[in-house]
Amino acid sequence: MASSSNNIDEEGIEKKEEPTPLEKHVMFFDINKDGVIYPWETYKGFRKIGSGVLLSTVASIFINIGLSGKTRPGKWPSPLFPIEVKNIKFAKHSSDSDIYDTEGRFVPEKFEELFKKHGRTNANALTGEELDELLKAHKQPKDFAGHIAAKSEWKILYLLCKDENGLLPKETIRSVYDGSLFEQMCKEKQSKKHRGKSSS
């Protein structure tokens, strides 16, 4: 099939489209970089950022079963529950913060609005209670599945990234949405591992 003229540069070479922030958010878990994320890759990704075996196992099952069908429109269900990165925008669930738009792009206004509404204790962070209030505010009527998905995402983020005062920093949350957080967490874990070996 011929490429769109919008994706071809002046020299006639096809340009590779820049991934959306939402695609960058999930690409960390595409371990072999083939554009498809299988449950075992999700598991490895969670382990790389410091999650325990139980959380990594539960998350990989929950995430892949929940998102696989949505990212494979028109295809038969697969027992391997693959997630197609290029179609991750179709997996946006309801009861969401809408910080990603329908195309998976980051919406700065929505991000700032979240902290104006809920960051009362600290303008640059969220407490556990404020996080609960945020989830309650975004919950849509009779939307059990969407609410559970949103709650799981935020609670895992809080568990892994809260500071010593129980605050989830604004910049940490921003790095979730721009797709850089998981790489940062992976590097920090590796750095701690190396320091541990050096001191032993």
Side-chain angles (χ1 to χ4, degrees), residues 2-16:
S3 299
S4 167
S5 58
N6 292 332
N7 292 329
I8 298 176
D9 64 17
E10 294 177 357
E11 297 177 1
I13 299 173
E14 186 174 355
K15 294 184 291 186
K16 190 173 182 180

Side-chain angles (χ1 to χ4, degrees), residues 132-152:
D132 288 337
E133 291 171 7
L134 179 157
L135 288 165
K136 188 175 181 181
H138 289 147
K139 183 180 179 183
Q140 296 178 8
K142 299 180 181 179
D143 180 32
F144 179 75
H147 179 63
I148 290 296
K151 188 172 184 178
S152 300

Side-chain angles (χ1 to χ4, degrees), residues 138-187:
H138 289 147
K139 183 180 179 183
Q140 296 178 8
K142 299 180 181 179
D143 180 32
F144 179 75
H147 179 63
I148 290 296
K151 188 172 184 178
S152 300
E153 292 167 358
W154 280 102
K155 289 294 186 179
I156 289 174
L157 178 64
Y158 184 78
L159 175 68
L160 295 177
C161 298
K162 65 181 178 181
D163 64 17
E164 63 274 9
N165 298 313
L167 296 172
L168 186 59
K170 182 177 183 178
E171 286 310 306
T172 298
I173 298 172
R174 186 192 298 276
S175 66
V176 173
Y177 287 103
D178 69 22
S180 64
L181 176 66
F182 300 134
E183 290 290 351
Q184 292 173 20
M185 292 175 70
C186 182
K187 288 175 183 176

